[in-house]
Amino acid sequence: MNDLIITNIQELILPKSTDRPLKGQELDDLTIVENGTVVVKDGKIVYAGAHSDDFEAQEIIDASGKVVSPALVDAHTHLIFGGSREHEMSLKRQGKSYLEILEMGGGILSTVKATRETSEEDLFNKAEHDLLTMIKHGVLAVESKSGYGLDKDNELKQLKVSNRLADKYNLDMKHTFLGPHAVPEEADSNEAFLNDMIELLPEVKQYADFADIFCETGVFTIEESRRYMQKAKEAGFKVKIHADEIDPLGGLELAIDEGAISADHLVASSDKGKEKLRHSDTVAVLLPATTFYLDKNDYADARGMLENNGAIALATDYNPGSSVTNNLQLVMAIAALKLKLSPNEVWNAVTVNAAKAIDVDAGTINKGDKANIVIWDAPNHEYIPYHFGINHAEKVIKDGKVIVDNTLTLD
């Protein structure tokens, strides 16, 4: 006897199971089954496809008029941080630049100060609330970065919180050491601070899957980033990079040369970098909510990357300064509107390709896969990025069990 059948599904979304990320035109290839059925036993998918009456189960969910998909994957978040920066919005409206806000005690260093002053337990409680919001919006696989400690004790504190969350909720969660996220005020120099972060790599390895660095004007150069990435690989890490967010320094090219699992942001990436994607499986993780929140006109060139047969994914970049949303559904809408992605491309970018960007077994619900599923209160797969800014997730199913039911009935 099976555990669960989801039947009468209006549209069943079935991304391909693949050993590598989908590239170029492949991203627009998405199987949509009308009148579908999903069967689950022991937390795994037994069947997912056209309507079938050949199965029995202890529980049956009628998904008439609903969409069913794999649970979403958020491949770039800064989940663990202290404080918040809502007061900076009024400063931005007054025309204050980022550097001016930084000089006033705001910006990333204010988050560093708040994170250092927040206990591990309080950080855990804050991040748990934010993570549960993600889950309620259909996300069951998450990447979580450090980077607001900028010293040994506080970077470790963030990573320990991230690991505790993964253990408590048994999530597909990956942890990233982003020690070189900024240069702290007490540092003697960029070089000295970067050396400290390199020395920390062996110790943080027990808590982190990836090592990341912010390669940007005024932060870390291409050469500094290359040295850090090479040292991280020697320490056993897979590497990521915050690249080409503001200036086209060549961060995407560096990521490809160093075999990074992903290069993230890429708003200002050069044509040369986009062309190099053709011969690489490095995933370009695009963060359009950041561009939206910062009120910038230029978004990452998703279409150019796909035309060069590149692999792209989408993520929230949830953080307190430049993308204050943990709703990946909103990112799907912004990507459709501003990155000019088709509905199929959007869905693949938040499922199978996002999973490849963080090396996690997620993003598909084909036979044998984990039964991590979302039932969407929507008539078709195009509707979810179309009707933006709300939560369309009706039920979130983890390992074949309903863990979130957002159905609301008013008497």
Side-chain angles (χ1 to χ4, degrees):
M1 178 71 72
N2 297 296
D3 300 321
L4 172 67
I5 293 175
I6 308 172
T7 189
N8 300 322
I9 300 166
Q10 178 93 357
E11 283 192 357
L12 172 60
I13 299 173
L14 295 176
K16 287 183 178 179
S17 295
T18 174
D19 293 333
R20 59 165 180 78
L22 301 175
K23 301 182 67 177
Q25 294 181 354
E26 294 174 337
L27 203 71
D28 202 32
D29 185 4
L30 181 67
T31 299
I32 307 290
V33 177
E34 296 183 3
N35 190 20
T37 296
V38 174
V39 182
V40 177
K41 182 178 176 63
D42 297 330
K44 300 284 189 179
I45 302 294
V46 172
Y47 173 83
H51 180 81
S52 174
D53 293 320
D54 295 340
F55 301 92
E56 295 182 348
Q58 296 173 352
E59 181 182 3
I60 297 176
I61 297 176
D62 187 339
S64 297
K66 313 291 184 184
V67 173
V68 171
S69 80
L72 305 184
V73 179
D74 197 340
H76 182 129
T77 84
H78 300 255
L79 180 62
I80 319 295
F81 60 87
S84 60
R85 282 153 56 185
E86 63 273 16
H87 59 284
E88 292 181 14
M89 289 192 75
S90 61
L91 297 175
K92 292 175 182 176
R93 285 196 299 270
Q94 295 167 28
K96 300 292 185 184
S97 70
Y98 176 79
L99 290 177
E100 288 174 321
I101 293 172
L102 198 64
E103 289 172 1
M104 297 168 67
I108 188 172
L109 294 181
S110 69
T111 299
V112 171
K113 182 174 184 293
T115 303
R116 289 177 173 182
E117 292 174 350
T118 304
S119 69
E120 180 178 323
E121 205 59 36
D122 286 344
L123 278 180
F124 178 89
N125 292 335
K126 185 178 188 297
E128 181 180 39
H129 177 272
D130 292 341
L131 178 62
L132 290 175
T133 298
M134 293 178 181
I135 292 171
K136 291 173 185 176
H137 283 75
V139 170
L140 286 180
V142 181
E143 184 256 15
S144 169
K145 300 180 189 294
S146 68
Y148 291 120
L150 306 186
D151 63 22
K152 175 181 174 178
D153 290 344
N154 289 290
E155 287 294 310
L156 287 170
K157 181 171 68 175
Q158 287 183 269
L159 290 168
K160 287 175 182 177
V161 167
S162 188
N163 280 265
R164 284 177 58 192
L165 287 168
D167 291 343
K168 179 172 181 177
Y169 292 98
N170 190 27
L171 283 181
D172 291 321
M173 195 165 174
K174 290 298 182 81
H175 319 282
T176 299
F177 173 56
L178 180 57
H181 189 198
V183 181
E185 293 175 310
E186 68 272 14
D188 293 331
S189 66
N190 281 32
E191 182 180 6
F193 174 67
L194 188 60
N195 287 338
D196 289 343
M197 294 300 100
I198 289 172
E199 289 178 8
L200 193 51
L201 285 165
E203 188 166 352
V204 300
K205 185 67 183 69
Q206 63 183 308
Y207 302 108
D209 304 286
F210 308 115
D212 197 345
I213 186 168
F214 189 13
C215 178
E216 189 53 74
T217 302
V219 193
F220 297 102
T221 67
I222 288 289
E223 288 308 316
E224 288 170 334
S225 300
R226 177 180 288 111
R227 184 165 72 90
Y228 174 79
M229 294 170 80
Q230 291 176 349
K231 291 293 186 181
K233 288 189 293 184
E234 290 173 10
F237 287 92
K238 294 183 178 181
V239 292
K240 293 174 167 284
I241 185 172
H242 282 55
D244 301 337
E245 181 178 1
I246 301 168
D247 293 323
L249 300 186
L252 178 54
E253 296 94 312
L254 173 63
I256 294 168
D257 289 344
E258 293 300 327
I261 190 169
S262 77
D264 302 29
H265 283 292
L266 309 181
V267 175
S269 288
S270 68
D271 289 342
K272 179 182 177 183
K274 285 176 276 190
E275 288 166 4
K276 288 189 74 164
L277 281 170
R278 187 179 304 277
H279 306 292
S280 170
D281 284 343
T282 294
V283 180
V285 179
L286 308 183
L287 311 169
T290 306
T291 309
F292 170 81
Y293 186 78
L294 294 176
D295 197 23
K296 303 292 187 181
N297 294 321
D298 294 328
Y299 285 75
D301 181 18
R303 295 253 56 93
M305 294 174 190
L306 292 174
E307 287 164 7
N308 279 289
N309 203 40
I312 69 169
L314 297 168
T316 60
D317 189 25
Y318 175 56
N319 75 80
S322 63
S323 184
V324 198
T325 182
N326 38 351
N327 178 1
L328 190 54
Q329 296 171 49
L330 177 59
V331 173
M332 294 167 71
I334 298 172
L337 290 167
K338 297 297 187 179
L339 302 187
K340 312 302 181 187
L341 297 182
S342 73
N344 287 1
E345 290 169 337
V346 168
W347 278 102
N348 277 323
V350 295
T351 54
V352 59
N353 268 23
K356 299 304 180 191
I358 59 173
D359 193 26
V360 68
D361 180 14
T364 58
I365 47 170
N366 299 307
K367 184 176 179 180
D369 289 336
K370 297 175 186 175
N372 289 349
I373 302 165
V374 180
I375 300 176
W376 303 93
D377 185 14
N380 56 69
H381 71 292
E382 297 184 35
Y383 188 86
I384 292 154
Y386 153 77
H387 186 172
F388 72 97
I390 69 163
N391 185 9
H392 295 282
E394 182 175 284
K395 291 183 175 67
V396 180
I397 298 168
K398 182 180 181 301
D399 297 324
K401 305 292 185 183
V402 177
I403 63 168
V404 174
D405 189 340
N406 288 323
T407 304
L408 176 65
T409 320
L410 297 178
D411 295 330

